[in-house]
Amino acid sequence: MLCVCVFFLCLCTRERVEIMLQLQTLGVVFDSKMNLVGALGGHFLNFQKKN
């Protein structure tokens, strides 16, 4: 019974780590997209102000 509990705990921990890594990757991608949008938006606003 103890082996089953330990195995289940390891499985859950592994799943959790994979989910955390996926979320971290998504966060990095999201951050870079937001930075790109911010940079483009700032450039666009500056361009409009000049006209």
Side-chain angles (χ1 to χ4, degrees):
M1 189 65 197
L2 184 66
C3 285
V4 174
C5 288
V6 171
F7 176 73
F8 187 70
L9 191 69
C10 287
L11 196 67
C12 285
T13 306
R14 212 185 99 212
E15 291 277 320
R16 196 177 301 150
V17 168
E18 283 180 8
I19 290 168
M20 281 171 64
L21 282 174
Q22 284 177 349
L23 285 175
Q24 200 172 14
T25 306
L26 277 174
V28 168
V29 169
F30 184 71
D31 279 350
S32 61
K33 278 187 181 174
M34 289 305 289
N35 287 342
L36 188 65
V37 167
L40 285 174
H43 183 70
F44 186 69
L45 286 174
N46 286 339
F47 183 72
Q48 277 189 330
K49 282 180 189 173
K50 285 178 186 173
N51 291 342

